[in-house]
Amino acid sequence: MDTIFRVFHHAQYTQDGTTLGALLSPIPPTNDQSLLRRFYKDSNVFDVKSDIAQYIKSPQSTLPKDQKNAWIDIYVAYWKAIGEILRAESGNHRNDWAIKVYETWKEVVSLVIRGYSGSSGFQSWTLPVLYAAGKYLRVFAIKADEEQAAKVGNGALNMENDEIGDDMTSGGFEKNERLEDAARVINRVFTLCISDRAPMEESRKWGLYHTTNLLFKTYFKLNSISLSKNCLRAIQASATDLPPMSHFPKAHIVTFKYYVGVIYFLDEEYQRAEENLTTAYRMCHKDAHTNKDLILTYLFPTHLHTTLSLPHPNLLPPTLSNLFHPLMTAIHLGSLSLFTTALAAQESTFVKRRIYLSVERSREQCLRNLLRRCWILTGNKEKPRVKVQEWAAAVRWSCKAIGEDGYCDTAQRIRFEKGEEKMETYVEDVERRKEKGERMDSEMEDDEVECLISGLIYKGLLKGYISRDHGIIVLNRKGEIFPGTGV
């Protein structure tokens, strides 16, 4: 214990919040892996409070009495939590070890929150203590829910993942009892920060964005995106009482902008989503490649909807190229069959990242490019009219793929090696669908194609109107027929 409390008093004397927060971590420092084990072994359940009080109430401490008592309670709870963690890591645990760790750590967080309450609470420079307590509460809650679902504990603790996107769900509907409970506790931390009325130099409002980010992560993991909007509205309502955003740590703002951008993205407010995601990307550290990839995962489909154009392929990092490059190729070529195949190949990933519906809607741009190519090849500029049957035939043809026996419906897989496109065709899927009596996309009727074209006109991807009496599409005589394409 001597080592920990010697650092504790030095951090209090120098007002080093980062060091103080690191002391309340369940992970030992890399240069002293046995620190936490020694800390736990230096006392026992009967004497731990008096032992810790002896260190904190030492003559060298200048803390007020209330704060000393608060720190004693916090470190007693911390000592108990470390004991549960050590038992879990050594294998001496029951099947409910993760739940026990979560419950003991929840007590640590509750005591930390109590330490910040009242007029004589902890000062704002100690906010990293609040960050550490809340961060690991979420980690332990996730592990406890996983254990509850599996009804088995394996002693494996992963407490170091802190990327901005570690909120992906498996897409199931598993119970998350502990994570929901953790969200309520973290929401108390959020309220503690946003409702502080102390002078700005001493205000807990400086921890608002970090706490909000932690709450966003938790709500996203719970698939409760609507609850994130409540936090956003609370921040917007308190905007006049907050310091300028540029005064907060850049890491806090990057994460906040990322989540706000994703929230707007899921609400299909693509302009606002692009603004926030672009800000997050530009502020992101140049070496934070994982975070940049996560931002681009949403920025790419957002760009498709706001500009109705494809970004240059070289702008995509290699880690996202396999995800989006086949789709970009399909949209560029106007190939509906390639688009369907590329979408199906990455369906699970798109669903996990919550972008499937947005990416699927870019099928309209693929159709727009197909019709644009047809118009360039066959269009008459003096009489900008096209028979619905002609474009319907083009759509049916595009829904086919080139197989060994000519044009036929088929599933396809696209691979990209050294920038060259290689296509392998498979007819098994088609045979299966035919056996079930399913209709092929290439059997689409003219009325269905007419409906698709009406959608393009409504969304501004095509300028003109449909004359149903004559079965023709009358295109725009003045200006672009396909806005944004130069045609």
Side-chain angles (χ1 to χ4, degrees):
M1 287 188 175
D2 182 68
T3 302
I4 285 183
F5 288 108
R6 186 171 61 250
V7 177
F8 171 84
H9 286 299
H10 184 267
Q12 290 282 356
Y13 178 75
T14 59
Q15 296 191 353
D16 186 351
T18 302
T19 300
L20 197 62
L23 285 177
L24 208 69
S25 170
I27 303 175
T30 55
N31 60 349
D32 191 356
Q33 290 291 323
S34 64
L35 177 64
L36 298 184
R37 190 172 297 275
R38 296 199 312 272
F39 171 74
Y40 182 72
K41 294 293 184 182
D42 283 348
S43 188
N44 57 69
V45 69
F46 302 105
D47 302 325
V48 60
K49 186 165 186 176
S50 59
D51 290 341
I52 291 176
Q54 181 180 357
Y55 282 103
I56 290 183
K57 292 184 177 181
S58 64
Q60 68 187 72
S61 175
T62 58
L63 291 173
K65 182 179 178 181
D66 290 344
Q67 290 192 23
K68 286 181 180 179
N69 292 332
W71 283 115
I72 291 171
D73 292 339
I74 289 170
Y75 272 98
V76 169
Y78 176 68
W79 181 88
K80 294 177 181 178
I82 293 300
E84 293 294 339
I85 292 171
L86 293 175
R87 279 189 286 275
E89 291 178 343
S90 64
N92 299 324
H93 54 79
R94 302 182 301 275
N95 285 343
D96 62 346
W97 67 267
I99 297 174
K100 292 288 290 183
V101 170
Y102 169 74
E103 293 297 337
T104 53
W105 195 264
K106 178 184 173 182
E107 180 64 17
V108 174
V109 179
S110 297
L111 290 170
V112 169
I113 294 173
R114 186 186 303 172
Y116 281 93
S117 303
S119 58
S120 60
F122 300 153
Q123 296 171 292
S124 61
W125 64 265
T126 64
L127 281 171
V129 174
L130 203 59
Y131 303 160
K135 169 186 172 181
Y136 292 110
L137 180 71
R138 175 180 176 273
V139 172
F140 293 138
I142 293 172
K143 191 64 182 178
D145 286 332
E146 290 174 354
E147 179 192 85
Q148 186 72 17
K151 292 295 181 181
V152 64
N154 57 15
L157 277 174
N158 179 13
M159 300 179 284
E160 298 185 358
N161 188 9
D162 194 33
E163 301 290 349
I164 63 176
D166 64 332
D167 49 46
M168 301 301 177
T169 63
S170 60
F173 297 93
E174 301 85 357
K175 288 186 178 180
N176 295 290
E177 181 180 347
R178 269 78 189 182
L179 191 58
E180 290 174 358
D181 183 52
R184 288 189 287 270
V185 176
I186 297 171
N187 193 59
R188 289 171 56 198
V189 179
F190 174 81
T191 304
L192 186 74
C193 292
I194 199 170
S195 62
D196 189 20
R197 292 294 178 262
M200 198 53 64
E201 300 79 20
E202 305 170 3
S203 177
R204 291 187 295 270
K205 283 188 169 70
W206 293 107
L208 179 61
Y209 286 114
H210 187 283
T211 305
T212 303
N213 296 336
L214 186 60
L215 208 49
F216 281 164
K217 284 185 179 184
T218 307
Y219 287 147
F220 270 62
K221 190 74 174 179
L222 290 169
N223 271 332
S224 300
I225 313 299
S226 58
L227 295 177
S228 300
K229 299 175 187 176
N230 297 337
C231 300
L232 197 55
R233 283 192 287 267
I235 292 175
Q236 292 170 346
S238 304
T240 55
D241 298 327
L242 294 175
M245 191 171 286
S246 58
H247 292 183
F248 286 84
K250 187 177 290 187
H252 298 186
I253 301 306
V254 169
T255 307
F256 178 75
K257 287 290 186 179
Y258 163 77
Y259 279 107
V260 172
V262 174
I263 290 170
Y264 284 132
F265 173 87
L266 296 175
D267 280 348
E268 299 182 8
E269 296 185 40
Y270 294 117
Q271 288 290 350
R272 300 175 76 176
E274 186 173 35
E275 292 174 8
N276 285 277
L277 291 170
T278 301
T279 301
Y281 185 80
R282 289 175 177 172
M283 294 179 66
C284 196
H285 193 277
K286 61 182 180 64
D287 295 328
H289 301 297
T290 301
N291 289 348
K292 283 191 171 185
D293 288 351
L294 286 167
I295 296 170
L296 287 174
T297 299
Y298 294 93
L299 191 54
F300 170 76
T302 299
H303 181 83
L304 282 178
H305 289 285
T306 56
T307 66
L308 302 179
S309 62
L310 292 169
H312 195 281
N314 292 342
L315 295 177
L316 284 176
T319 50
L320 294 180
S321 181
N322 290 336
L323 190 64
F324 289 118
H325 198 179
L327 282 170
M328 292 174 63
T329 301
I331 294 173
H332 177 72
L333 296 176
S335 173
L336 297 175
S337 61
L338 293 184
F339 184 92
T340 300
T341 301
L343 187 66
Q346 299 291 347
E347 180 177 354
S348 59
T349 303
F350 289 148
V351 170
K352 182 180 179 181
R353 300 191 181 190
R354 308 181 182 93
I355 62 174
Y356 179 84
L357 291 178
S358 178
V359 171
E360 202 277 336
R361 289 192 184 100
S362 61
R363 185 189 301 271
E364 295 169 342
Q365 296 182 45
C366 183
L367 175 62
R368 186 271 309 268
N369 287 347
L370 168 66
L371 301 182
R372 171 179 171 272
R373 284 174 175 266
C374 292
W375 173 251
I376 291 175
L377 292 174
T378 63
N380 185 342
K381 295 183 179 179
E382 295 180 358
K383 296 181 179 181
R385 299 180 180 182
V386 180
K387 292 183 179 180
V388 173
Q389 292 178 340
E390 294 179 4
W391 276 5
V395 171
R396 286 191 288 268
W397 177 85
S398 183
C399 289
K400 295 179 179 181
I402 302 177
E404 294 179 358
D405 300 326
Y407 290 103
C408 64
D409 290 287
T410 181
Q412 304 169 11
R413 183 176 69 205
I414 303 176
R415 297 185 317 198
F416 291 88
E417 297 177 1
K418 299 180 181 179
E420 297 180 359
E421 179 184 14
K422 295 186 177 182
M423 182 176 67
E424 298 178 0
T425 61
Y426 299 88
V427 297
E428 291 85 354
D429 181 63
V430 175
E431 295 301 326
R432 176 182 56 78
R433 292 170 61 190
K434 287 182 177 179
E435 288 176 1
K436 291 184 177 181
E438 296 180 13
R439 195 190 65 167
M440 303 294 105
D441 291 339
S442 56
E443 299 173 4
M444 193 178 298
E445 298 179 357
D446 290 357
D447 287 345
E448 294 178 81
V449 176
E450 186 178 311
C451 183
L452 294 176
I453 294 173
S454 299
L456 296 184
I457 295 173
Y458 174 76
K459 295 185 178 181
L461 295 171
L462 175 66
K463 295 294 185 181
Y465 65 91
I466 298 175
S467 174
R468 296 214 67 194
D469 293 338
H470 299 88
I472 62 173
I473 305 164
V474 181
L475 301 174
N476 186 26
R477 286 179 176 271
K478 298 180 181 180
E480 292 183 329
I481 298 174
F482 302 92
T485 66
V487 177

